[in-house]
Amino acid sequence: MTLAMIGQAFPTSTASGTDGCGESARYIEEQIDNIRQKDLQRPEFYFPVMKEVLPDLMEVKSETAEAGWDGYNACAIRSETFDRSVEFLESLPNTVATPTVSAEPDGHITLEWYRSPHRVLSVSVSPEGDLHYAALIGPNKAYGTEVFFGESPRVILDLIHRVSVA
Amino acid sequence: MNGDLPAAEVTDDEWLVRFILFSKWIRRSDNTVKQEAFIPSPKNLELSVTRRNALSEEALWQVGQEVADTRPSKLYGRADLRAFHARNQSLQVRPDPQPRNQNHAVITGWPQDDKPGQKLIALELAKAAHYLPNPNPTPTLDNMN
């Protein structure tokens, strides 16, 4: 239904608020509410970073299911590691850039935020929920471990921002 | 065999090759290699490499393909860096000839029980490395026939 059709069905009225104006407003408000309700049911509405990364995460999970996936001695990625990665990605605010996904020979899933070889952050997710990170930001370096308790650690959010800015 | 180096000490200027057998270790955006490619094996904290010096390009790619064929995996490319880049990170580089690869070497001396420290070193090695895609990608053994 176009706005013109809506206007014909519910003609405008004076500021004193006749039935026509009230009905138009109510109709439009109902349509907005319907759209909002549909949005709230979509998981990507809550976890936009997850939505972007999930296909690659599933691909990594599939390709690392067996030991030796790297051609050398890599450990298979455990389901717990995948679950912790999903939880961490869901905790990220929708203001952060989308990372790329990979895996390490010790069975950790990695998330990388990258601008150049001199501006890069890599976060490894362990099956226990440890977030091991290392970053190069120009001449500066940062590295350490944060335990994930359900909220994105502030230090990692700060490093994502510092790597991502122009 | 022609081109094989004896198991002499690895010099600082010597080129070392890390064969890439996992596609997600490569950044398609700018054809660089990620730090994951330089994380040591969890079994013995050693990073397996091949010494490049005396091998022709063809022979070198053949070594990589043989590494891939034993898995079987696909050889996507290789990452080259000089030995001094590893030594600058306080790592050691020593020859480790193998029956299938006489030019095999290992990078050792990684910080133990220090995953962030390992990652930081791997970031530096990845930054120093030069990625070359496989010019002759071949099917893996499991999809032949």
Side-chain angles (χ1 to χ4, degrees), chain A residues 56 59-60 63-64 68-73 75 100-106 108 110 112 114 117-118 120 122-124 132-136 141-145, chain B residues 17-25 27 29-30 32 34-36 39-44 48 67 70-71 73 89 114-120 123-124 126-127:
Chain A
D56 283 343
E59 200 174 317
V60 167
E63 293 179 9
T64 59
W69 52 264
D70 65 339
Y72 300 95
N73 297 316
C75 302
T100 57
V101 185
S102 184
E104 286 167 335
D106 56 3
H108 294 178
T110 57
E112 181 182 270
Y114 175 82
H118 300 271
V120 53
S122 177
V123 178
S124 302
H132 305 290
Y133 64 89
L136 299 178
K141 305 174 188 182
Y143 64 109
T145 298
Chain B
V17 170
R18 179 75 171 154
F19 292 113
I20 307 299
L21 305 177
F22 186 59
S23 65
K24 297 262 187 300
W25 285 358
R27 297 188 193 97
S29 59
D30 61 0
T32 52
K34 291 185 171 184
Q35 59 95 43
E36 289 88 325
I39 294 291
S41 164
K43 289 187 164 58
N44 51 18
S48 180
V67 172
T70 57
R71 310 304 174 191
S73 299
Q89 300 300 322
D114 182 5
K115 180 65 186 288
Q118 294 172 17
K119 285 178 68 69
L120 188 65
L123 274 178
E124 295 284 7
K127 186 174 74 174

Side-chain angles (χ1 to χ4, degrees), chain A residues 49 52-53 56 89 92 96-101 110-114:
Chain A
V49 178
E52 295 293 325
V53 174
D56 283 343
L89 285 165
L92 293 173
V96 305
T98 303
T100 57
V101 185
T110 57
L111 305 168
E112 181 182 270
W113 286 265
Y114 175 82

Side-chain angles (χ1 to χ4, degrees), chain B residues 8-136:
Chain B
E9 183 177 336
V10 178
T11 62
D12 285 350
D13 279 346
E14 199 169 327
W15 284 99
L16 305 173
V17 170
R18 179 75 171 154
F19 292 113
I20 307 299
L21 305 177
F22 186 59
S23 65
K24 297 262 187 300
W25 285 358
I26 306 158
R27 297 188 193 97
R28 297 297 178 192
S29 59
D30 61 0
N31 246 12
T32 52
V33 68
K34 291 185 171 184
Q35 59 95 43
E36 289 88 325
F38 295 97
I39 294 291
S41 164
K43 289 187 164 58
N44 51 18
L45 274 194
E46 292 182 351
L47 186 71
S48 180
V49 293
T50 294
R51 303 166 74 174
R52 190 179 92 174
N53 276 1
L55 291 173
S56 66
E57 281 293 300
E58 185 180 352
L60 187 56
W61 284 114
Q62 182 59 36
V63 171
Q65 190 58 56
E66 288 173 4
V67 172
D69 287 347
T70 57
R71 310 304 174 191
S73 299
K74 181 177 175 181
L75 177 61
Y76 290 93
R78 70 183 213 233
D80 295 8
L81 77 166
R82 292 196 189 265
F84 73 77
H85 288 298
R87 290 181 174 136
N88 283 351
Q89 300 300 322
S90 301
L91 301 174
Q92 292 89 51
V93 186
R94 64 173 173 85
D96 183 48
Q98 300 288 315
R100 285 177 173 266
N101 184 1
Q102 291 293 311
N103 296 292
H104 185 253
V106 287
I107 299 177
T108 62
W110 295 83
Q112 293 201 357
D113 301 320
D114 182 5
K115 180 65 186 288
Q118 294 172 17
K119 285 178 68 69
L120 188 65
I121 291 171
L123 274 178
E124 295 284 7
L125 296 182
K127 186 174 74 174
H130 176 57
Y131 176 69
L132 292 165
N134 183 0
N136 300 301

Side-chain angles (χ1 to χ4, degrees), chain A residues 69-82:
Chain A
W69 52 264
D70 65 339
Y72 300 95
N73 297 316
C75 302
I77 302 292
R78 292 162 48 184
S79 60
E80 293 90 340
T81 311
F82 176 80

